[in-house]
Amino acid sequence: MAIATIHNPTVSNPQIDSKVLAQQTNLLFSYARPVHFAALAVFGLIAYLFKGAADPELFMAWAIYAGAVELIRLLLTFQFHSRHIVAADAKKWFRIFRFGNFLSAVSWGLVGVVFFPPADIAQQSLLAVMLLSVAALAIPLLSFDFRSYLVFSSFAVLPVGLNLIFMGEQLPVMIGLLIYAVLVLLCFLAFRFNADTLDGIRTRFAYADIAEEFDTEVTTRINAENTLRKGEQRGRKQSYVLLDLAKEESVAAGDLPRALTVITEKAAQAIQCTRVSVWFCEPDFTEFRCVHLFDNGYHDAAPNIRLGTGEHARLYKRLERMRTFAISDTQTDKRAGDFWINYISPYRVSAALGAPFRQGGKVRGVIVHEHVGYPRTFSRDERMFASSLADFIALAISASGRNQVQEQLRHMANYDRLTGLPNRAMFHDRLNHALSKARRANREIAVLFVDVDRFKSINDSMGHHTGDRVLRSIAKRLMRCVRSSDTVARLGGDEFTVILEEFEDLDTVVSVCERILETTAEPLVIADGDMQLTCSIGISLYPNDASDSETLLQNADTAMYRAKKSGRNGYSFFTPDMHTQAVTRMEKENDLRKAMQRDEFELFYQPQVDTSSGKMVGVEALVRWNHPDRGLIAPGEFIPLAEETGQIVALGEWVLRAAAAQARKWERHLSPDLHMAVNLSVGQFMLRNVPTLVSDVLDESGVKPENLLLEITESLAVGEAKSTMDLLNELKQLGCRLALDDFGTGSSSLTYLKKFPVDIIKIDRSFVTDLVNDPHDAAIARATIGLAKSLGLLVVAEGVETDVQKSWLTEEGCDVMQGFLFARPLNSSDLEEWYRERVLLLAEGSTGQEGASRSLN
Ligand code: C2E
Ligand code: CA
Ligand code: CA
């Protein structure tokens, strides 16, 4: 302990000696300054009194010497005090002082020689007394260093004494001897004084050291006491926490999430750790799942941390024999690596105290108190506390188990056993509740009646087992289509209902229906392979269609039947009159989707003719809807709708595939370099997978890439977005050609034209129509042709209907023409016929006669 090193003040201690020397130096220099002033003054006085007695030259030499020494020493004191001098430097300054003192002593000694009046005994005595006084006065200053004093006083007094003694007369000799006696006395005094002063200094330093050590000792003691007191407080706190938990309702009631929140929070407080985690484990210890994390004041009730224990499962089995485990330093404790592998390091656990909780003697999980940043030990009390906490968790778990039984009973009464969805009773319950809420809030509610198409035949042909699977999967898919606040219920059989609350407008309802149709259509994997399901939906709305739950359900049912009647796989609103517009649009959409499924689309092809040779160089594919009731429908009627609803993506994909397949056929049977122009709509580009699609289609069909000509509209090209450019370049890299459709109708195409990687420009029909009558249109057409030529692009004129237009365009240098003058869009077999006739006609040399081909239309 510290006592052993207490210094005995009388025993020399080098450390203290150096401190003493430093203190001596300090004292010497701090007294010196006034003394040097005084010395200068006394020198002046002596010079004044005894000047007559001195030889003038000797006097001058002395004056310069003495004055210089005192001045230099004076400056040295300033130098000393202006610096921060460390103890190690003290020795140097101490020597400087001693040397200066010697020089001064010489000045004083010279006084006794230079100013010694040869014959005046009175003056001689006065001088001697003065010097003696100086020696006496030097005691307080120089007693800090006895050696300095000895030098000083001897040098100052000896010469004058010698002078007196060597005069040989009785009186001077007496005075001289007396002076020496006094000098000896003074030296003795100085010696005592010096010894006492040094003792004082030395003692002070020695005791200062002891005091310091003593101080540390006391602080350590106080700290230890504080730690003890804190431990005690913590212990007290821990028992309060346990008392609180015993009273905690959530634990007794089996409200597990709440109980874990309370327990972890209290645990963190009482054990003062960074984090408390609660883990559940499998009975075979193959996996630990963190179910609650209280980290730095924040709760996470679903941390989604899983620790697979794999080969270490055996190690974890040790938990069965433990009440607690404490790892005070995860860096050094080997068990840290065994337990909590993959957790310690990412979560920076430095120390951990864990306690397993059990149920029926089996470990169900662990509660872990974790420290982050520094190791720490856990006391016995803390271990006991942790194990009590684990007991509380076990308690909450078994209480929650009891709750679950009650919950299960309640569930059985209100939920469908097969799908877990609310049953009919619960559906009416929820709907009535929703209705009263909607009434108050003045809001709408939609009830959807969803019926699986042809379920009975599935059930009959594939068995109940598959039937059940279908119903369960439909239930899951329906749940995916609505928000968690909406209700999906199963009324029985293959009938499901959905209650939609708090929707913005009918569009939301429609989009839910569409989502349901889409998700239902996703293939379902069953034993014999994939199966595709569809369903029909009827919709009724509160308050428009009914205001009670029974009628709403009935109306939805009625509407569902209408959806079935109009071909299944669709939806139908109960009230056409109230939402006519919306409904017709929706029905059209519904129609369009069905058209896709029923393959009601067909491609027509319009020939494109080379201006100079009159030969057909390619065709443009134009889509038609072969409606079962309405016959052929032009794209203008459905393309915009398809774009709006996103169905354009599927439609466009179909068109591309069909056109490419046809092109490949014609490459082989008609002519190897006939091109196929396909329209790509802006909506297709939004999806951004066009290059992938095109590349797939090229591969599948085997058509020559340069024969595939993609028509993009100016509006797409005008968007200067880099992504659009990238996409177009990608398409070019696949080897296809790009045509700019409807040129001239968009905003400022000329500037963009240079930037876009197109090969062909199509002059819009509107310019061609009035070519001959409207000079403005003619000017635009002419400028376009000129510009295209200068950029090395091919020009195609659309909508050429008359010979006048044809000859105008021929004259202006247009390369290719397309229009009713040559042919209308034709189906594939008509096109082939037209082509063969045209070849014959050309062979007969009657290219100028378009009348013949027109008859084909
Ligand atoms: P478009 O690309 O400008 O196609 C040319 C349209 O002009 C075609 O109309 C064609 O029948 C018509 N046409 C051709 N020659 C003449 C003529 O001499 N006189 C007149 N009055 N009309 C002529 P269609 O087939 O009704 O197509 C209309 C638009 O629908 C097309 O305009 C195109 O933008 C779009 N479209 C057609 N098929 C598709 C397709 O498969 N995909 C996409 N995204 N859009 C298509
Ligand atoms: Ca086109
Ligand atoms: Ca066009």
Side-chain angles (χ1 to χ4, degrees):
M1 278 298 265
I3 303 299
T5 60
I6 285 182
H7 308 288
N8 182 341
T10 58
V11 173
S12 137
N13 177 322
Q15 215 187 335
I16 292 176
D17 284 349
S18 87
K19 279 187 192 168
V20 171
L21 184 79
Q23 182 64 6
Q24 271 178 286
T25 319
N26 274 338
L27 288 168
L28 287 170
F29 272 100
S30 59
Y31 279 84
R33 198 179 298 166
V35 171
H36 295 311
F37 279 118
L40 284 170
V42 174
F43 284 153
L45 185 69
I46 289 172
Y48 172 74
L49 286 177
F50 304 106
K51 195 184 168 195
D55 173 81
E57 277 171 23
L58 220 55
F59 169 74
M60 270 315 284
W62 172 82
I64 290 169
Y65 172 81
V69 166
E70 289 314 304
L71 276 174
I72 287 168
R73 292 193 68 198
L74 192 64
L75 288 177
L76 270 172
T77 64
F78 282 103
Q79 181 75 0
F80 181 84
H81 286 290
S82 68
R83 290 242 205 115
H84 175 74
I85 291 162
V86 291
D89 286 341
K91 209 167 197 165
K92 186 181 101 191
W93 284 94
F94 189 70
R95 289 211 188 106
I96 289 174
F97 184 88
R98 275 189 173 173
F99 185 63
N101 177 66
F102 165 74
L103 295 180
S104 288
V106 170
S107 321
W108 288 105
L110 286 176
V111 167
V113 180
V114 175
F115 297 101
F116 198 77
D120 193 336
I121 182 92
Q123 275 206 26
Q124 287 167 356
S125 312
L126 185 62
L127 188 68
V129 169
M130 265 182 86
L131 289 170
L132 205 57
S133 315
V134 167
L137 284 171
I139 293 178
L141 165 67
L142 294 176
S143 64
F144 301 122
D145 178 28
F146 180 66
R147 201 131 31 111
S148 288
Y149 183 76
L150 207 59
V151 169
F152 182 81
S153 54
S154 321
F155 270 79
V157 179
L158 278 177
V160 75
L162 280 179
N163 257 343
L164 284 167
I165 290 168
F166 280 107
M167 283 178 73
E169 287 166 43
Q170 203 187 3
L171 191 61
V173 169
M174 289 297 286
I175 295 172
L177 289 175
L178 191 69
I179 281 174
Y180 281 154
V182 173
L183 177 67
V184 170
L185 191 73
L186 287 179
C187 281
F188 177 69
L189 276 177
F191 176 76
R192 290 288 333 162
F193 211 85
N194 171 266
D196 286 349
T197 316
L198 287 192
D199 261 8
I201 294 173
R202 192 180 288 272
T203 314
R204 216 173 77 215
F205 282 125
Y207 278 105
D209 265 18
I210 298 166
E212 210 170 88
E213 282 190 28
F214 194 64
D215 216 33
T216 341
E217 169 79 354
V218 169
T219 323
T220 324
R221 250 246 183 67
I222 289 173
N223 282 348
E225 269 167 28
N226 275 346
T227 319
L228 274 175
R229 201 173 315 131
K230 262 190 217 151
E232 208 171 278
Q233 274 172 357
R234 221 184 287 151
R236 210 175 305 143
K237 206 193 238 163
Q238 286 165 7
S239 46
Y240 279 131
V241 165
L242 295 181
L243 206 68
D244 276 355
L245 286 178
K247 286 188 274 179
E248 174 62 37
E249 259 174 55
S250 59
V251 173
D255 177 355
L256 203 53
R258 167 89 196 129
L260 291 183
T261 306
V262 174
I263 291 173
T264 50
E265 203 167 316
K266 291 203 182 280
Q269 259 175 24
I271 295 205
Q272 289 181 329
C273 49
T274 325
R275 187 163 52 220
V276 179
S277 54
V278 179
W279 303 75
F280 280 8
C281 64
E282 302 301 319
D284 55 357
F285 296 103
T286 46
E287 189 184 67
F288 278 81
R289 186 161 47 89
C290 186
V291 291
H292 198 104
L293 208 60
F294 180 58
D295 192 353
N296 256 318
Y298 292 98
H299 287 283
D300 187 351
N304 195 24
I305 308 169
R306 281 163 188 277
L307 296 180
T309 62
E311 56 195 276
H312 291 274
R314 229 154 27 99
L315 279 166
Y316 286 81
K317 240 179 120 52
R318 283 193 206 156
L319 287 175
E320 279 177 344
R321 279 176 280 128
M322 291 174 172
R323 290 276 306 159
T324 56
F325 62 88
I327 294 173
S328 55
D329 186 354
T330 55
Q331 296 282 319
T332 54
D333 197 316
K334 204 176 83 54
R335 287 174 306 161
D338 296 342
F339 294 119
W340 318 114
I341 268 178
N342 301 334
Y343 184 76
I344 295 275
S345 124
Y347 283 81
R348 300 188 11 253
V349 182
S350 53
L353 168 62
F357 43 86
R358 296 168 165 79
Q359 262 206 302
K362 284 258 162 240
V363 172
R364 273 300 307 277
V366 225
I367 175 169
V368 189
H369 305 76
E370 299 163 27
H371 252 273
V372 169
Y374 56 93
R376 67 160 279 187
T377 52
F378 298 95
S379 67
R380 225 180 80 83
D381 286 348
E382 282 171 331
R383 279 165 167 261
M384 301 271 282
F385 175 72
S387 118
S388 306
L389 288 182
D391 290 343
F392 275 108
I393 294 179
L395 217 76
I397 293 175
S398 57
S400 87
R402 274 199 307 281
N403 281 355
Q404 273 166 9
V405 175
Q406 280 166 358
E407 177 64 23
Q408 260 164 16
L409 286 173
R410 208 178 65 81
H411 201 271
M412 274 157 74
N414 288 291
Y415 291 82
D416 168 44
R417 193 102 64 90
L418 180 67
T419 59
L421 292 179
N423 58 16
R424 187 181 285 267
M426 186 70 168
F427 164 77
H428 280 293
D429 231 41
R430 294 252 179 108
L431 184 52
N432 282 323
H433 185 68
L435 283 171
S436 55
K437 259 204 313 193
R439 227 165 267 141
R440 264 179 276 129
N442 211 6
R443 301 200 63 130
E444 283 186 294
I445 288 179
V447 175
L448 275 49
F449 200 109
V450 184
D451 191 282
V452 183
D453 293 333
R454 298 194 181 90
F455 179 74
K456 204 174 139 24
S457 67
I458 296 173
N459 217 18
D460 291 348
S461 64
M462 301 190 174
H464 290 280
H465 189 68
T466 309
D468 285 355
R469 274 207 55 197
V470 167
L471 292 177
R472 270 199 293 265
S473 107
I474 294 279
K476 270 196 206 129
R477 292 176 184 198
L478 285 177
M479 294 288 286
R480 257 169 35 204
C481 296
V482 299
R483 294 173 305 179
S484 56
S485 54
D486 297 325
T487 297
V488 177
R490 179 178 172 229
L491 299 187
D494 61 339
E495 295 173 346
F496 294 87
T497 48
V498 178
I499 307 171
L500 299 178
E501 293 178 71
E502 298 185 13
F503 48 84
E504 299 277 304
D505 47 26
L506 278 189
D507 278 348
T508 319
V509 178
V510 167
S511 66
V512 171
C513 289
E514 266 164 7
R515 225 176 305 148
I516 291 175
L517 293 175
E518 252 169 55
T519 29
T520 311
E522 285 168 19
L524 176 72
V525 188
I526 51 165
D528 318 348
D530 281 8
M531 177 165 79
Q532 189 156 26
L533 296 166
T534 57
C535 62
S536 302
I537 308 170
I539 307 151
S540 76
L541 299 167
Y542 165 87
N544 288 326
D545 304 339
S547 48
D548 65 293
S549 71
E550 282 296 343
T551 327
L552 273 170
L553 187 63
Q554 244 168 44
N555 289 350
D557 195 4
T558 316
M560 187 275 291
Y561 269 101
R562 182 134 48 85
K564 285 241 190 233
K565 246 194 215 143
S566 54
R568 298 192 172 86
N569 192 23
Y571 52 86
S572 176
F573 278 89
F574 176 69
T575 51
D577 43 318
M578 292 219 55
H579 308 275
T580 321
Q581 263 197 341
V583 169
T584 34
R585 202 200 90 139
M586 288 161 205
E587 276 171 359
K588 259 195 191 167
E589 249 181 82
N590 209 6
D591 250 21
L592 196 61
R593 186 182 33 257
K594 269 183 247 165
M596 270 311 295
Q597 283 155 356
R598 294 182 198 148
D599 225 4
E600 288 174 355
F601 294 104
E602 194 181 341
L603 280 187
F604 274 54
Y605 307 91
Q606 188 174 31
Q608 297 181 331
V609 171
D610 180 77
T611 310
S612 47
S613 70
K615 277 188 194 162
M616 181 182 107
V617 287
V619 295
E620 176 176 8
L622 295 158
V623 71
R624 300 286 179 265
W625 180 0
N626 214 336
H627 197 278
D629 309 328
R630 295 167 57 200
L632 275 190
I633 302 177
E637 253 191 77
F638 59 90
I639 293 273
L641 185 69
E643 292 222 355
E644 252 176 72
T645 58
Q647 286 165 329
I648 189 70
V649 176
L651 178 59
E653 203 173 317
W654 177 85
V655 168
L656 196 62
R657 277 184 216 283
Q662 185 61 260
R664 177 71 190 126
K665 266 187 217 158
W666 286 340
E667 261 177 19
R668 273 189 262 170
H669 302 124
L670 296 186
S671 162
D673 40 36
L674 281 183
H675 67 239
M676 172 67 72
V678 179
N679 293 285
L680 291 182
S681 77
V682 181
Q684 267 172 291
F685 267 93
M686 292 306 165
L687 267 171
R688 300 286 179 234
N689 64 354
V690 175
T692 328
L693 172 68
V694 170
S695 133
D696 287 351
V697 167
L698 283 174
D699 288 349
E700 285 164 22
S701 62
V703 72
K704 286 194 241 164
E706 66 271 25
N707 278 349
L708 187 64
L709 214 146
L710 301 171
E711 296 198 356
I712 53 168
T713 60
E714 216 181 323
S715 57
L716 177 85
V718 162
E720 213 188 342
K722 193 180 166 294
S723 52
T724 312
M725 284 292 285
D726 290 348
L727 281 170
L728 295 181
N729 280 319
E730 267 179 70
L731 287 175
K732 284 278 328 172
Q733 257 149 31
L734 292 172
C736 332
R737 287 188 287 167
L738 297 180
L740 202 53
D741 206 352
D742 308 336
F743 188 79
T745 56
S747 27
S748 63
S749 14
L750 297 185
T751 34
Y752 292 106
L753 199 54
K754 272 186 263 176
K755 292 190 202 161
F756 279 90
V758 294
D759 311 271
I760 296 159
I761 296 179
K762 294 188 81 175
I763 303 177
D764 191 63
R765 197 173 74 222
S766 57
F767 298 106
V768 177
T769 309
D770 274 340
L771 213 54
V772 191
N773 305 321
D774 189 339
H776 182 72
D777 283 359
I780 290 178
R782 189 175 290 129
T784 308
I785 295 171
L787 182 73
K789 296 267 145 192
S790 72
L791 291 172
L793 307 177
L794 213 71
V795 188
V796 178
E798 289 185 321
V800 182
E801 294 184 354
T802 65
D803 284 319
V804 186
Q805 290 164 344
K806 183 189 157 201
S807 37
W808 190 95
L809 287 162
T810 312
E811 232 164 82
E812 291 297 331
C814 174
D815 305 292
V816 176
M817 283 182 262
Q818 173 185 356
F820 293 173
L821 176 65
F822 308 99
R824 287 178 177 272
L826 306 165
N827 66 30
S828 56
S829 57
D830 286 350
L831 190 280
E832 284 166 23
E833 204 178 319
W834 182 89
Y835 176 80
R836 293 203 176 95
E837 272 186 46
R838 177 120 192 132
V839 172
L840 284 178
L841 259 164
L842 288 176
E844 286 162 20
S846 51
T847 46
Q849 302 300 310
E850 298 300 341
S853 59
R854 215 182 305 164
S855 64
L856 281 169
N857 298 331

Coordinates of all heavy atoms in Angstrom, one line a residue, residues 603 606 620-624 634-636 639 648 655 679-681 684 711 741-742 765 798-801 818-821 825, ligand 1:
L603 N -53.9 -9.4 -87.4 CA -53.0 -8.4 -88.1 C -53.4 -8.3 -89.5 O -53.6 -9.3 -90.2 CB -51.5 -8.8 -87.9 CG -50.9 -8.5 -86.6 CD1 -49.4 -8.8 -86.7 CD2 -51.1 -7.1 -86.2
Q606 N -50.4 -3.6 -94.7 CA -50.6 -2.6 -95.8 C -49.2 -2.5 -96.6 O -48.2 -2.3 -96.0 CB -51.0 -1.2 -95.3 CG -51.3 -0.3 -96.4 CD -51.9 1.0 -96.0 OE1 -51.5 1.5 -94.9 NE2 -52.7 1.6 -96.7
E620 N -46.7 -2.7 -93.6 CA -46.8 -2.2 -92.2 C -47.9 -3.1 -91.6 O -49.0 -3.3 -92.2 CB -47.3 -0.7 -92.2 CG -47.5 -0.3 -90.7 CD -47.9 1.2 -90.6 OE1 -48.0 1.9 -91.6 OE2 -48.0 1.6 -89.4
A621 N -47.6 -3.6 -90.4 CA -48.6 -4.5 -89.8 C -49.5 -3.6 -89.0 O -49.1 -2.7 -88.2 CB -47.9 -5.4 -88.8
L622 N -50.9 -3.7 -89.2 CA -51.9 -2.9 -88.5 C -52.8 -3.8 -87.8 O -53.4 -4.7 -88.4 CB -52.5 -2.0 -89.5 CG -51.6 -0.9 -90.1 CD1 -52.1 -0.4 -91.4 CD2 -51.3 0.2 -89.1
V623 N -53.1 -3.6 -86.5 CA -53.9 -4.6 -85.8 C -55.4 -4.3 -85.9 O -55.8 -3.1 -86.1 CB -53.4 -4.6 -84.3 CG1 -53.9 -3.3 -83.6 CG2 -54.0 -5.8 -83.6
R624 N -56.2 -5.3 -85.9 CA -57.6 -5.2 -85.9 C -58.2 -6.1 -84.8 O -57.6 -7.1 -84.5 CB -58.2 -5.7 -87.3 CG -57.6 -5.0 -88.5 CD -58.3 -3.6 -88.6 NE -57.8 -2.9 -89.8 CZ -56.8 -2.0 -89.7 NH1 -56.1 -1.8 -88.6 NH2 -56.4 -1.3 -90.8
A634 N -61.4 -1.0 -85.7 CA -60.2 -0.3 -86.1 C -59.4 0.0 -84.8 O -60.0 0.2 -83.7 CB -60.5 1.0 -86.8
P635 N -58.1 0.0 -84.9 CA -57.2 0.3 -83.7 C -57.5 1.6 -83.0 O -57.3 1.7 -81.8 CB -55.8 0.2 -84.3 CG -55.9 0.3 -85.7 CD -57.3 -0.2 -86.1
G636 N -57.9 2.6 -83.8 CA -58.2 3.9 -83.2 C -59.2 3.8 -82.0 O -59.2 4.6 -81.1
I639 N -56.9 1.0 -79.2 CA -55.5 1.3 -78.8 C -55.4 2.3 -77.7 O -54.7 2.0 -76.7 CB -54.6 1.7 -80.0 CG1 -54.5 0.5 -81.0 CG2 -53.2 2.2 -79.5 CD1 -53.3 -0.5 -80.7
I648 N -51.9 -2.5 -73.3 CA -51.1 -2.4 -74.5 C -49.8 -3.2 -74.5 O -49.3 -3.6 -75.5 CB -50.7 -0.9 -74.7 CG1 -50.1 -0.6 -76.1 CG2 -49.8 -0.4 -73.7 CD1 -51.0 -0.8 -77.3
V655 N -48.6 -8.5 -81.0 CA -48.5 -8.0 -82.4 C -47.1 -8.2 -82.9 O -46.9 -8.7 -84.0 CB -48.8 -6.4 -82.4 CG1 -48.3 -5.8 -83.7 CG2 -50.2 -6.2 -82.1
N679 N -45.8 -1.2 -85.4 CA -45.9 0.1 -84.6 C -45.7 -0.3 -83.1 O -46.2 -1.2 -82.5 CB -47.4 0.6 -84.7 CG -47.6 1.1 -86.1 OD1 -47.2 2.2 -86.5 ND2 -48.4 0.3 -86.9
L680 N -44.8 0.6 -82.5 CA -44.6 0.5 -81.0 C -45.2 1.7 -80.4 O -45.0 2.8 -80.8 CB -43.1 0.4 -80.7 CG -42.3 -0.8 -81.2 CD1 -40.9 -0.6 -80.7 CD2 -42.9 -2.0 -80.6
S681 N -46.0 1.4 -79.3 CA -46.7 2.6 -78.7 C -45.8 3.1 -77.6 O -45.0 2.4 -77.0 CB -48.1 2.3 -78.3 OG -48.0 1.5 -77.1
Q684 N -45.8 1.0 -74.4 CA -44.9 -0.1 -74.4 C -43.5 0.3 -73.9 O -42.8 -0.5 -73.2 CB -44.7 -0.7 -75.8 CG -45.7 -1.8 -76.1 CD -45.7 -2.2 -77.6 OE1 -46.1 -1.5 -78.4 NE2 -45.1 -3.4 -77.8
E711 N -41.7 1.1 -85.9 CA -42.2 2.5 -86.0 C -42.5 3.1 -84.7 O -43.3 2.6 -83.9 CB -43.5 2.5 -86.9 CG -43.3 2.0 -88.3 CD -44.4 2.4 -89.2 OE1 -45.4 3.0 -88.8 OE2 -44.3 2.1 -90.4
D741 N -42.6 7.7 -87.1 CA -43.9 7.7 -87.6 C -44.6 9.1 -87.5 O -44.2 9.8 -86.6 CB -44.8 6.6 -86.8 CG -45.9 6.1 -87.6 OD1 -46.2 6.6 -88.7 OD2 -46.6 5.2 -87.1
D742 N -45.6 9.3 -88.3 CA -46.4 10.5 -88.2 C -45.5 11.8 -88.2 O -45.8 12.7 -87.4 CB -47.3 10.5 -86.9 CG -48.1 9.2 -86.8 OD1 -48.3 8.6 -87.9 OD2 -48.5 8.9 -85.7
R765 N -49.9 11.3 -92.9 CA -51.0 11.4 -93.9 C -51.6 12.7 -94.1 O -51.9 13.2 -95.2 CB -52.1 10.4 -93.5 CG -53.0 10.0 -94.7 CD -53.9 8.9 -94.2 NE -54.9 9.4 -93.3 CZ -55.3 8.7 -92.2 NH1 -54.8 7.6 -91.9 NH2 -56.3 9.2 -91.5
E798 N -47.1 8.5 -96.2 CA -48.3 7.7 -95.8 C -49.6 8.3 -96.5 O -49.6 9.4 -96.8 CB -48.6 7.8 -94.3 CG -47.6 7.1 -93.4 CD -48.0 7.3 -92.0 OE1 -48.5 8.3 -91.6 OE2 -47.9 6.3 -91.2
G799 N -50.6 7.4 -96.6 CA -51.9 7.9 -97.0 C -51.9 8.5 -98.5 O -52.6 9.4 -98.7
V800 N -51.2 7.8 -99.3 CA -51.2 8.3 -100.7 C -52.5 7.7 -101.4 O -52.6 6.5 -101.5 CB -49.9 7.8 -101.5 CG1 -50.0 8.3 -102.9 CG2 -48.7 8.2 -100.8
E801 N -53.4 8.6 -101.8 CA -54.7 8.1 -102.3 C -54.8 8.4 -103.8 O -55.7 7.8 -104.4 CB -55.8 8.8 -101.5 CG -55.8 8.3 -100.0 CD -57.0 8.8 -99.2 OE1 -57.8 9.6 -99.8 OE2 -57.2 8.3 -98.1
Q818 N -47.1 4.6 -99.4 CA -48.0 3.7 -98.8 C -49.4 4.4 -98.8 O -49.5 5.5 -98.4 CB -47.6 3.4 -97.3 CG -48.5 2.6 -96.5 CD -48.0 2.5 -95.0 OE1 -46.9 3.0 -94.7 NE2 -48.8 1.9 -94.2
G819 N -50.4 3.7 -99.2 CA -51.7 4.3 -99.2 C -52.8 3.5 -100.0 O -52.4 2.5 -100.6
F820 N -54.0 4.0 -99.9 CA -55.1 3.3 -100.5 C -54.9 3.2 -102.0 O -55.5 2.4 -102.7 CB -56.4 4.0 -100.2 CG -56.8 3.8 -98.7 CD1 -57.9 4.5 -98.2 CD2 -56.1 3.0 -97.8 CE1 -58.3 4.4 -96.9 CE2 -56.4 2.9 -96.5 CZ -57.5 3.6 -96.0
L821 N -54.1 4.2 -102.6 CA -53.9 4.2 -104.0 C -53.3 2.8 -104.4 O -53.6 2.3 -105.5 CB -52.9 5.3 -104.4 CG -52.5 5.4 -105.9 CD1 -53.7 5.6 -106.8 CD2 -51.4 6.4 -106.1
P825 N -55.0 -1.9 -96.0 CA -54.5 -3.0 -95.2 C -55.2 -4.3 -95.5 O -56.5 -4.3 -95.6 CB -54.8 -2.5 -93.7 CG -54.9 -1.0 -93.8 CD -55.5 -0.8 -95.1
Ligands
C2E1 P1 -50.5 4.7 -88.3 O1 -49.3 4.0 -87.8 O2 -50.4 6.1 -88.8 O3 -51.1 3.7 -89.5 C1 -51.5 4.2 -90.7 C2 -53.0 4.3 -90.6 O4 -53.4 5.0 -91.8 C3 -53.7 3.0 -90.7 O5 -54.9 3.1 -89.9 C4 -54.0 2.8 -92.1 O6 -55.2 2.0 -92.4 C5 -54.3 4.2 -92.5 N1 -54.1 4.5 -93.9 C6 -53.2 4.0 -94.7 N2 -53.3 4.4 -96.0 C7 -54.3 5.3 -96.0 C8 -54.9 6.1 -97.0 O7 -54.5 6.2 -98.1 N3 -56.0 6.9 -96.6 C9 -56.5 6.8 -95.3 N4 -57.5 7.6 -95.0 N5 -55.9 6.1 -94.3 C10 -54.8 5.3 -94.7 P2 -55.3 2.1 -88.9 O8 -55.0 0.7 -89.3 O9 -56.7 2.4 -88.5 O10 -54.4 2.4 -87.7 C11 -54.5 3.6 -87.0 C12 -53.4 3.8 -86.0 O11 -53.5 2.8 -85.0 C13 -52.1 3.6 -86.6 O12 -51.7 4.7 -87.2 C14 -51.2 3.3 -85.4 O13 -50.9 4.4 -84.8 C15 -52.2 2.5 -84.6 N6 -51.9 1.1 -84.7 C16 -52.3 0.2 -85.6 N7 -51.8 -1.0 -85.4 C17 -51.1 -0.9 -84.3 C18 -50.3 -1.8 -83.6 O14 -50.2 -3.0 -83.8 N8 -49.7 -1.3 -82.5 C19 -49.8 0.0 -82.1 N9 -49.1 0.4 -81.0 N10 -50.5 0.8 -82.8 C20 -51.1 0.4 -83.9

